[in-house]
Amino acid sequence: VARMLKSHLEVLGYQTHLTRESDQTVSLKERTELANRVSADLFISLHANASNKEEAMGIETYYLALGSDETSKMVALRENEGMEQNIQELESLISTILKGSKTQESQQLAEMVQQQLIEKTMAKNRGVKHAPFVVLTGTKVPAILVEIGFISNSVEAIKLNETSYQNQIAEAIAVGIHQYAKRVLSSKN
């Protein structure tokens, strides 16, 4: 999906950088460091969700903030696995970061991307949420994390393996990003 998204964005005229080109592990910190090193304008983190409840399904998009509910905090704990901070330390760190962050811009980007994802895929809309994701803390630009579906749901797992569905997801994210970029540029004029 990331490679497809890169292709769609490049067709729209955007320069893109992937945090990895193959199935290798890149730490959460290294991902954000890359975004800062290349002076990115946006940071998009793509994930496949999972749940103990097989019926859980749908797409949700997150931006950095303290957890909005217990489910968001649980997703953040899972995504932040391997990090040394506990959730209280992380919330304190994020509270400090948020004072100078791009929270409002990230929320707008998340809303535009989520809207396009639901329109194009017809997936269950799990909404735009905020949570303390480590992968979003180190960026100096608007940043979102997109959970593109549940691999623990038998129906969604099949769809997530289909090239055409992956392309729908990538195209929807690209359109959401493009809409956001146009809005940002028009507000600066």
Side-chain angles (χ1 to χ4, degrees):
V1 174
R3 286 190 295 269
M4 290 176 183
L5 174 57
K6 177 179 171 62
S7 177
H8 284 291
L9 288 171
E10 288 173 346
V11 165
L12 291 168
Y14 298 101
Q15 181 181 14
T16 61
H17 300 274
L18 297 178
T19 57
R20 58 188 177 149
E21 296 285 342
S22 63
D23 191 13
Q24 64 191 31
T25 301
V26 177
S27 77
L28 301 178
K29 185 179 178 188
E30 289 173 312
R31 296 173 197 193
T32 57
E33 285 173 350
L34 171 68
N36 293 330
R37 191 169 54 251
V38 300
S39 300
D41 294 314
L42 299 174
F43 181 83
I44 314 297
S45 187
L46 301 176
H47 298 256
N49 214 339
S51 173
N52 293 333
K53 300 175 186 173
E54 189 181 326
E55 68 275 6
M57 64 187 316
I59 295 174
E60 56 196 3
T61 304
Y62 288 88
Y63 62 96
L64 179 65
L66 300 177
S68 55
D69 58 33
E70 285 307 309
T71 303
S72 295
K73 284 183 181 180
M74 294 308 294
V75 173
L77 280 172
R78 188 174 59 248
E79 294 292 350
N80 295 339
E81 193 172 10
M83 296 305 294
E84 295 171 9
Q85 297 103 333
N86 65 32
I87 198 73
Q88 289 79 24
E89 292 170 326
L90 188 57
E91 286 182 344
S92 175
L93 171 65
I94 289 170
S95 179
T96 302
I97 291 168
L98 289 176
K99 291 177 182 152
S101 78
K102 302 281 187 182
T103 302
Q104 186 175 8
E105 294 95 330
S106 297
Q107 181 179 1
Q108 291 172 353
L109 174 61
E111 289 168 353
M112 291 177 176
V113 166
Q114 181 72 12
Q115 179 183 355
Q116 288 302 313
L117 280 163
I118 300 309
E119 285 179 17
K120 293 213 179 341
T121 66
M122 303 301 287
K124 178 180 177 183
N125 186 354
R126 295 178 60 91
V128 171
K129 302 174 182 179
H130 51 90
F133 289 109
V134 169
V135 75
L136 302 179
T137 61
T139 63
K140 298 173 182 165
V141 296
I144 61 173
L145 183 147
V146 183
E147 295 281 5
I148 62 173
F150 283 78
I151 57 173
S152 54
N153 179 288
S154 57
V155 173
E156 280 196 345
I158 291 168
K159 289 173 75 173
L160 287 168
N161 273 313
E162 296 172 354
T163 303
S164 62
Y165 189 70
Q166 293 169 0
N167 194 52
Q168 282 181 326
I169 290 168
E171 183 180 8
I173 295 170
V175 169
I177 290 169
H178 187 60
Q179 288 177 339
Y180 173 81
K182 288 192 316 189
R183 177 184 283 182
V184 169
L185 289 175
S186 70
S187 69
K188 289 183 178 181
N189 293 334

